[in-house]
Amino acid sequence: MSKKFVAILSLLLLPALLYAAVTGKIRGKVIDRETKEALVGANVAVEGTSYGARTDVDGEYTILNVPVGVYSVRASFVGYAATVVSNVRVSADLTTELNFSLAPEAVQIGAIEITAERPLVNKSATNAVRIVSGDELANIPVRGVGAVVALQAGVVQQGGELFIRGGRLDEVGYYIDGADARDARTNRPAVQIVPEALEEFQVQAGGYNAEFGGANAGIVRQQLKTGGTKYSASLRVETDDIVSRGEKLLGGYSYGYTDYAATFSGPITDNIKFFLAGQNTFQADPTAAYWSGFRFDDLVEDVAGSNRNPHNPIVTDPNSPYYGLNVPDTIDLVVLPGNVPGRKLQYWAGNGTLTFDYNPIIVRLSASLNLSKGLFNPTPIRNIFNHQRLLNDQASTGLYSAKLTHFIQPQTYYDLTFSYWDSRFKRFDPVFKDDYMKYGDSVAAAQAGLPTYFSRWESPRDLRTNGFPFTRPGALMGGYTKRKQYYWSGQIDVTHQLTEHELKAGFSYRQYKIRNYAIGSLQSLLAQLLSNPDAARNGGPDRDLLWRSTGVPANFGYDIYGNEYDGGGLDRAREPKFISAYIQDKFEVNDLVINAGLRFDSFDMDQYRFKDPSRPPYDQANFTLFENGTEKVASFKTVSPRLGFSFPVTDRTVFHVQYGKFVQAPQLDNIYTSTSRFALFLSGRNFIPNPVGLALEPIRTTQYEIGFTQQFTDNASFDITTFYKDIKGQIQYEAVVASPATYNVLVNGDYATTKGVELTVRLRRTNRVQAALNYTLSDAQGTGSSRMSTISSVQAGPERPLIIAPLQFNQTHRGTINLDYRFGKDDGGPILERLGANLLFTFNSGHAYTKALFSSGGGQRGPEEAGILADDDPRPRRPEGALNSSTTPWVFQLDLRIDKTVSIAGLFDVNFYVYVQNLLDTKNVYNVYSRTGNAEDDGFLTNPNLSSAIIANNGPRYVDLYRAINLQNRQHYWANQLDPNNEFGGGDLFGPPRQIRFGLNITY
């Protein structure tokens, strides 16, 4: 089989191909052990691969493009004993220094074997790079890459979201095997990796090379494993599902969590190797929370004026608002503690790589797949009687890759890489699924076996007791949403090692196609169609107008009825295009490293703007836009310089300095919506969430970084890095004064400055102990924490505020301490041998928020919602003191993992383990009510001016229900605060409770 045929066959194996896999470099010198003279022409080879090099006239060698991983490297020379160094780790875009000292065969017979230790100081890094290997990941008492990324210096986790060095959550880049793994709509991670498939990941908090773009705050680079020369397999089973729901084991509830993961890898031939990993996870309650549960018996439904017959629970009075409803005599409201009801998630993931090593042509294919099914239930208590019609979420994502590497000569090669990413999402009613025309039709519901009501097109009124609403059994729970998007891209990179210079240049092109369809008020829409039968029956423009003006579909790439649409106009599928090119030089001599690069980016975000913003092209008659009043926005082009230095003071002391400019596109969700939704914005109904932008530009960041690394013993080192960032053009909410009415848009208006100090301390395993400390002292200030931060001020008046204040995701102090104590093989006797414990302590100083005063107590949404309106609605709110001048309490958490490994028949290793998250069950306060500064009291019941009249109208049980539903179990807070607009990562009021998981991992 010819090498050319193998290369072509490799490219055809996947229908869609992806970016390059990341690689590193091995370099060093080979000398005579006795004379210390250089050995010219010595062979250095990476065992199990075709990678290798010969030493030059100075005895030096360089092996380029080595895939990330752990290897054994052999050096040999005629007349000398070969030396093999094992446990050599290669990391992405870094240089691993490996020197050999060969002994003459007359002195030494046979090969010498040496086990390398991971260096504590990496001299080739010109910016702060934090690396965690897959082996280290396995010992930490958390599961998943995101949880471990959150432990690194410079990273803040808040509300489950990650922020790096004061950038917003949409400014973090995620890569898998070199491919962009973000959802361009939200700029959030779109692909999850099976933890067992991870070779290593890097967190680079800014300062990365010109090769990378599109992420201003930092990047998370994840590399998949490659198959080895021997077959290996593993099976992991992990669960907390030991006791029944509502019961405790060792002080922790079961959350219905079960996780299975398996891997299989090895050679197909000497030149072809594979790696496969799969995972299936089920969670009855995917977001563990402090949930006390409660019980109320014999509640009476509020049906005043219904003239209900006590012998017939169906209200037959046509004048009653409860006409046609089943009204039972009493209601028992029972919610078990521990698990939040009506929330479950099932998740599948798969990763794989296939490597064809036919040097000088090498091909690597990779794939990452995710599938998930879950329930959408933002108000679990309100929906306690209607789990049958909870909206279902389904999502799928696929990321596929192929990279062809051709070595023209040992020091020169090029990569051809191609990519395809596909993502789909759907939220739907579980009864009628895609047939959303039946969603609000009670006749269709009756035919499906659901409870029936007399009014066909009116949603059945909530079941209400003591002022609190509950969704009736069989009632429709929401609308219909679907999204489809993909990108394909191609890239070429050329690398040449010219003595001490590693020269690299590349060009890439990426194109997306994005579709969206969402429709909410289905029952209102169907009732309008029934009331206008001629328009509904005849179709054409009249039916289209009726549809747009009542249902207000958010559609592009679909027509207003949800059919895929590939025509032109403003509601076409969006096709943004990103083009980039770069050139960089990595100069390495005598441990001095200079990394200089220049990057070009072109952003065509496929957006339009109004020709005259003061007179928007509002087509009121057709509830859409006049297309001739808009114009396409030209692509945005920019050049970004990057410069980094790393220079040694001694063998154990290294300084690094970095300067760079970074540019990224905003979330595309900030730009795209339908013409009918934009017509809604222009209609004068201004208090509407989620406006979009017109002619938004990329966000720009300038960063400076200085670092100092010191290895102060043979087994310990520390690193101190200081940084300063200037961020401009972040997205902000703005009102545009126009005719016929003022409307709201998003603009490039916010800016921020962030600065800080990062400290890391590492202790290599010594006397069974390995330790790590990460600490960050930071200050992030700006004019807004998210795109909606200025909504309150804009609603009060059209002026945009420019007040510099602490950002809501800033945590001044944040740190982690990780201690690992482990007995090795043949160490400690039969009981303690291969027994280990890992203790993880995390802490942070809380985050900024604005304590608020309110001009009214609310109640406009109904008495049961009065307590939350003041926190959720900006209109009655004014700050008490300076903006974001208050801080939430400190947070402390201790996690523990204990494991024991045993061998079975010398073939299998079985690792038994248990890990406990929040070992002390500390009820950490993550957020507070802005009215009180307290997480336990929202200020409603304790303020008679707000609550006395409502309590008087609803009786004394109202107070008990309010405490159980809204205070102890936080339903109103979740419903109004845990939404996409809270992009500063608000999250729950409290951190997660104690969780205990048991597992075993079998490896072969």
Side-chain angles (χ1 to χ4, degrees), residues 237-242 254 256-260 282 913 915 996-1000:
V237 180
E238 182 175 298
T239 186
D240 75 349
D241 205 1
I242 305 298
S254 165
Y257 167 85
T258 304
D259 180 69
Y260 303 92
F282 178 82
Y913 63 90
Y915 67 94
I996 306 172
R997 296 177 177 179
F998 301 87
L1000 63 87

Side-chain angles (χ1 to χ4, degrees), residues 314-352:
I314 303 297
V315 177
T316 57
D317 181 358
N319 296 316
S320 169
Y322 296 88
Y323 173 60
L325 295 181
N326 183 315
V327 180
D329 289 332
T330 60
I331 303 163
D332 293 335
L333 182 60
V334 180
V335 177
L336 293 177
N339 280 237
V340 179
R343 299 199 303 183
K344 67 178 181 179
L345 175 68
Q346 190 157 14
Y347 167 79
W348 297 266
N351 300 107

